[in-house]
Amino acid sequence: MSGEVRAAVALEQGLDFQAIQLLCQEPGLTITGFVRAATESLPDLAQTRDPIVIVCRTPSPELLEFIRGAAEQRPERTHVVFFDGVANGFTRHAFAAGADDLVSADAMQPGSAAQVVFALEKA
């Protein structure tokens, strides 16, 4: 890793912090805040310039609307979707909504958090 990576995390509705335990413990990654991945949380992200890691399991129109809103709010900010589930076309929709990268991995498996950090570093 080239240095410390900072990011805020947006959790899909219904996920708890245990779902991102490995992400929080990843060396070289500083989590600067947490919000729920819901459009009503977008004002909480307005001031952060840190990249956003959007953690989700269930593709939904509401989640895509959150990704779109976050990307429109600060187009210069990096938005990485950490997806733990079956994509079924979600990848295409996530990129169309404004995601800069998508990491598809089991959030509880060793090495998955490192993939997120890599995506943040290359963005």
Side-chain angles (χ1 to χ4, degrees):
M1 182 172 305
S2 61
E4 190 72 16
V5 177
R6 297 170 47 92
V9 173
L11 284 173
E12 175 187 20
Q13 298 286 3
L15 291 182
D16 59 24
F17 293 108
Q18 191 174 36
I20 58 163
Q21 180 180 1
L22 291 176
L23 188 62
C24 293
Q25 296 171 353
E26 182 64 24
L29 176 64
T30 299
I31 304 296
T32 59
F34 291 96
V35 298
R36 286 289 173 197
T39 53
E40 60 268 14
S41 299
L42 287 172
D44 297 331
L45 294 176
Q47 299 307 311
T48 187
R49 295 181 187 272
D50 292 333
I52 306 297
V53 177
I54 302 157
V55 181
C56 58
R57 284 197 175 129
T58 309
S60 69
E62 294 81 15
L63 184 64
L64 291 170
E65 189 59 34
F66 174 81
I67 296 168
R68 184 174 294 104
E72 288 174 355
Q73 184 182 63
R74 284 199 175 264
E76 75 283 0
R77 182 174 59 198
T78 299
H79 300 85
V80 173
V81 177
F82 186 23
F83 183 68
D84 179 6
V86 179
N88 290 338
F90 177 65
T91 302
R92 178 175 40 90
H93 294 297
F95 283 121
D100 295 298
D101 207 340
L102 189 132
V103 176
S104 180
D106 182 342
M108 300 305 286
Q109 292 299 313
S112 60
Q115 293 175 37
V116 173
V117 172
F118 177 75
L120 291 168
E121 286 182 321
K122 74 176 186 170

